[in-house]
Amino acid sequence: MAPLLTLDALLFNMIGGQLKRFAKARKDLLVAVNEIVRHMFDEIDYVLEGKNAERFAILYSQGSGGEGRTSIKVPKVYWTYTRKSILALEWIDGIKLTDAERISKANLNRKKMIDEGLYCSLRQLLEDGFFHADPHPGNLVATEDGSLAYFDFGMMGDIPRHYRVGLIQMLVHYVNRDPLGLANDFHSLGFVPEGTDLHAVATALSVAFGDGRRQSNDFQGVMNHLYDVMYDFNFSLPPDYALVIRALGSLEGTAKALDPDFKVIESAYPFVIGRLLADPSPDMRKILRELLIRDDGSIRWNRLERLIAAISQQSSEESSKKPGDENTASSSDWRSFDMHSVVSATEDLFHFILSRKGWRVYLRKREIQAS
């Protein structure tokens, strides 16, 4: 394989160079080509793949929060028999996620499997940063006990924290329908060239999203809105962020095999809110303030109400659990809120409301209502 891939790499670079020279192709074309080549060689190094599998297992298959339980399985690597060109893995019996008949016969809980797979993927992309870049149905199977088993760790990504925070911020700005906020996100992450008119980008995004009826909560729908804007303004995505897009697309496609109505952005939003509430870092607090407070200082009361309702509902569910239920894994466990984190997170909002600026906003609102 290595000599064949070397020839492919040479041809890729020759073709890319000619396209760049004569067809005025994008400046980052060769960067993308080289990244593809790098992953091609990574995928035939089975020692590296074995190390990736073990790292993935430690991060996502060892239980979370000290609970010691998980519904994610990763095959064990047998290092005695593994070499650079041989990968020896534990055998795991499973059912393909596209085999609806066998999943039904096994009485597996589809919603729970989707929740667990989504939770695992969002932890990869938004918390730890080490992620499986190709979670398509061929690389995931359902086991008889309803767990999800991952395979094929040749294509992995490592996304730095500032990109993870940027992904959260983009999701918040998208849900808030804030095109200028999105444009600023793209600029701060280096997606658009320096000197680009961000107001023009924001206008193009507004046109792409249209009115509220056109806004999509499924990932492919969002990307369909963005592709033209990204092309027109010569967006340049870092290689690992391109892998993030691939991973989210594959995740949604895999989940739709179990639930055709699944929408990754809509389903991911509760997890994002939980991250914002639980993380005391300044960048997360800033995003939370943007979620609840507009640029003019007014409060997004509808979002605050929905947030409080979600916390209240979760609190009611926790208090209604029967003795012994705390040891039972539930598909909604990952949506639970730590009330200490909630109190800490809302301090910023209450400080604003009680501040001179917040009081001025309140008085202005009363004047408008009176008139």
Side-chain angles (χ1 to χ4, degrees):
M1 286 296 294
L4 291 174
L5 288 183
T6 301
L7 178 59
D8 287 343
L10 177 63
L11 292 172
F12 272 139
N13 273 280
M14 288 175 59
I15 294 170
Q18 295 301 314
L19 288 173
K20 184 178 176 182
R21 182 178 178 185
F22 296 109
K24 295 183 180 180
R26 293 172 56 105
K27 293 180 180 179
D28 59 348
L29 176 63
L30 288 181
V31 175
V33 167
N34 289 332
E35 191 64 18
I36 292 172
V37 169
R38 181 177 72 83
H39 283 291
M40 286 163 53
F41 279 97
D42 284 349
E43 289 206 70
I44 63 169
D45 184 346
Y46 290 153
V47 170
L48 176 61
E49 181 169 342
K51 291 178 179 178
N52 287 340
E54 288 195 335
R55 182 181 174 191
F56 190 91
I58 290 171
L59 288 172
Y60 311 115
S61 187
Q62 303 292 328
S64 59
E67 296 168 358
R69 57 174 174 74
T70 182
S71 293
I72 303 297
K73 294 187 181 300
V74 177
K76 176 183 175 183
V77 180
Y78 292 95
W79 288 109
T80 304
Y81 308 105
T82 294
R83 299 292 184 271
K84 190 168 183 176
S85 57
I86 300 173
L87 180 61
L89 294 174
E90 170 192 9
W91 180 272
I92 295 180
D93 283 314
I95 304 171
K96 289 184 177 180
L97 300 184
T98 52
D99 193 338
E101 184 178 351
R102 285 191 62 193
I103 287 177
S104 296
K105 285 183 178 179
N107 293 318
L108 298 181
N109 186 327
R110 297 183 184 216
K111 183 180 184 307
K112 182 178 181 297
M113 286 194 295
I114 290 175
D115 275 354
E116 293 292 351
L118 178 65
Y119 174 44
C120 181
S121 293
L122 293 175
R123 282 188 60 209
Q124 294 171 48
L125 295 171
L126 302 181
E127 286 188 1
D128 297 293
F130 183 66
F131 65 96
H132 194 300
D134 202 18
H136 63 72
N139 290 338
L140 278 164
V141 299
T143 63
E144 290 185 354
D145 64 357
S147 298
L148 286 174
Y150 278 75
F151 299 94
D152 191 356
F153 299 91
M155 186 178 292
M156 308 295 291
D158 245 322
I159 179 170
R161 176 179 167 78
H162 70 282
Y163 282 140
R164 301 199 300 270
V165 173
L167 190 58
I168 293 174
Q169 193 150 347
M170 283 191 290
L171 178 60
V172 169
H173 284 148
Y174 177 80
V175 173
N176 281 350
R177 296 187 56 75
D178 182 356
L180 185 57
L182 268 177
N184 280 305
D185 294 339
F186 296 147
H187 179 261
S188 63
L189 290 169
F191 293 177
V192 293
E194 286 295 331
T196 301
D197 184 352
L198 297 184
H199 287 279
V201 176
T203 301
L205 288 170
S206 297
V207 172
F209 292 149
D211 55 27
R213 289 171 297 181
R214 284 188 61 192
Q215 188 178 22
S216 175
N217 280 324
D218 67 299
F219 182 72
Q220 194 54 54
V222 172
M223 291 311 300
N224 288 340
H225 289 161
L226 288 178
Y227 280 138
D228 288 341
V229 178
M230 294 171 71
Y231 183 81
D232 289 342
F233 288 92
N234 200 24
F235 275 46
S236 178
L237 296 182
D240 278 331
Y241 230 88
L243 283 182
V244 169
I245 292 177
R246 176 191 175 96
L248 286 171
S250 293
L251 169 65
E252 186 169 73
T254 300
K256 282 182 180 291
L258 295 170
D259 177 9
D261 296 323
F262 176 82
K263 294 178 176 60
V264 68
I265 291 181
E266 183 179 293
S267 302
Y269 200 62
F271 180 91
V272 171
I273 294 299
R275 286 282 291 125
L276 293 177
L277 288 172
D279 194 328
S281 60
D283 47 11
M284 290 297 189
R285 285 290 182 266
K286 179 176 180 291
I287 298 173
L288 183 61
R289 285 196 300 272
E290 289 181 358
L291 175 67
L292 298 175
I293 303 173
R294 296 185 181 89
D295 289 339
D296 62 2
S298 60
I299 299 168
R300 303 179 192 271
W301 295 106
N302 60 327
R303 298 201 180 281
L304 179 60
E305 182 180 358
R306 284 166 56 189
L307 182 61
I308 293 173
I311 296 168
S312 175
Q313 180 182 356
Q314 182 62 44
S315 179
S316 299
E317 289 175 0
E318 291 296 317
S319 63
S320 65
K321 277 187 177 181
K322 298 177 182 179
D325 285 351
E326 60 273 8
N327 296 322
T328 304
S330 166
S331 62
S332 64
D333 283 346
W334 62 273
R335 293 191 178 90
S336 62
F337 297 106
D338 179 344
M339 295 310 294
H340 291 292
S341 297
V342 171
V343 171
S344 174
T346 51
E347 281 182 353
D348 286 340
L349 177 64
F350 291 125
H351 285 163
F352 171 80
I353 294 173
L354 297 175
S355 70
R356 184 182 299 274
K357 184 178 179 182
W359 187 246
R360 285 202 304 269
V361 172
Y362 174 74
L363 290 177
R364 178 59 181 157
K365 184 178 179 182
R366 290 290 298 272
E367 290 173 3
I368 294 172
Q369 290 175 336
S371 62

